[in-house]
Amino acid sequence: MVDNDFGGDPDGLVSLAHILLRSGPDMTVLVTTSPLDPGLAEAAGADPATTAGRGAELAGQLLELMGLSGVRVITGAEATGVTPEQVSPAARAIAEESSRFERTTILCGGPLTNIAAALRLDPPLARRAMLVWVGGTLAEADRGEYNSDTDLDAATEVLASGIPLVRIPSEEYSRMTIAVDAVKNELAAVSAVGSWLAERLLDVPPFVQLGGTLTLGDSVLVAFLPGVDAPARRVAPGTAVHGQVDGAALWDDLMRQLAAQGS
């Protein structure tokens, strides 16, 4: 399962494309979308009340471009928090889909809104699933970073649930940088999917000044995809990952996967 705020920073879409490219034919993938911080949404010129829906639209466009008709995209809560309002179709889908399997891996690159709601609906989910979350800092799991701070209540609730958790803090995912020139010259040229992703990455909001590099923080999730042979996969639940994900290797693999898919 992949849960992310696809309506925000497009690195989530790059990560999703890579995850889908690396998913084997016997792997079931469910995609769910989470909300953005309202202040960030407004600064980017987006409607804060529809960011999860916008994320679902973008994820759907990516799936269509990749020719993947069998992957479901479910819209999550449009507001953060731990009230009945957050029990969304995405939360229900996470709980229901996980009940079909003995073990489930949830890869979350955004706030934990949908995961917290799914755990409230189905507390045994904490025993069936492992959560890999891009959030927090090395020092603090539930604060000091965008994903944790966007829904602090959800983060607190999930961390207290007992679900096995591998956490990727800001100190780790901020290392996942790529040159803007590589996005323009490599990603944009490798395939139609790569071109679409490059357009999303280079279309920065007004308050962002495009420099020489971009951060593809959510790409760290690819290293934890079941079946992917990477050192990060051997990290035990309950730890925070730091210095164990090779961003350059992930980029090279993405280029190979896109080239193969586009040929």
Side-chain angles (χ1 to χ4, degrees):
M1 298 184 189
V2 184
D3 183 85
N4 213 327
D5 50 353
F6 298 111
D9 193 327
D11 68 324
L13 294 167
V14 176
S15 174
L16 177 60
H18 201 173
I19 288 167
L20 293 169
L21 288 165
R22 292 301 304 258
S23 298
D26 58 344
M27 189 179 296
T28 300
V29 179
L30 172 70
V31 179
T32 55
T33 66
S34 56
L36 296 183
D37 172 81
L40 178 63
E42 289 180 354
D47 181 357
T50 61
T51 57
R54 175 57 178 160
E57 290 176 8
L58 289 167
Q61 290 175 24
L62 174 61
L63 290 169
E64 183 177 1
L65 193 59
M66 296 179 72
L68 299 175
S69 59
V71 178
R72 291 190 295 154
V73 179
I74 312 294
T75 303
E78 290 290 5
T80 60
V82 291
T83 72
E85 181 184 0
Q86 280 72 47
V87 180
S88 64
R92 293 188 181 92
I94 291 169
E96 291 168 4
E97 188 71 16
S98 70
S99 69
R100 299 175 51 222
F101 303 95
E102 185 176 341
R103 295 296 297 171
T104 301
T105 299
I106 303 173
L107 305 175
C108 181
L112 289 168
T113 309
N114 294 327
I115 314 304
L119 284 164
R120 291 197 302 280
L121 280 172
D122 181 20
L125 173 63
R127 298 193 296 271
R128 296 194 306 270
M130 182 180 82
L131 173 63
V132 181
W133 178 44
V134 176
T137 67
L138 276 172
E140 296 183 284
D142 62 349
R143 64 192 69 241
E145 178 271 341
Y146 172 79
N147 288 336
S148 57
D149 292 348
T150 294
D151 199 340
L152 178 58
D153 290 339
T156 301
E157 198 168 270
V158 171
L159 291 168
S161 72
I163 189 171
L165 169 67
V166 172
R167 194 169 58 80
I168 308 169
S170 60
E171 292 89 343
E172 178 73 348
Y173 71 72
S174 62
R175 297 172 54 244
M176 305 297 116
T177 59
I178 190 67
V180 169
D181 284 347
V183 174
K184 293 178 178 178
N185 300 324
E186 297 175 24
L187 183 60
V190 71
S191 68
V193 173
S195 177
W196 186 87
L197 291 170
E199 287 182 19
R200 305 285 82 72
L201 286 170
L202 297 172
D203 184 20
V204 297
F207 61 88
V208 174
Q209 184 173 358
L210 191 63
T213 61
L214 290 167
T215 300
L216 303 182
D218 288 345
S219 289
V220 294
L221 293 170
V222 178
F224 295 89
L225 184 67
V228 172
D229 184 17
R233 287 285 300 148
R234 296 189 284 275
V235 174
T239 59
V241 175
H242 186 48
Q244 293 171 271
V245 180
D246 187 338
L250 284 174
W251 177 261
D252 290 343
D253 184 70
L254 174 62
M255 292 301 102
R256 287 192 297 270
Q257 297 289 337
L258 285 170
Q261 195 258 355
S263 61

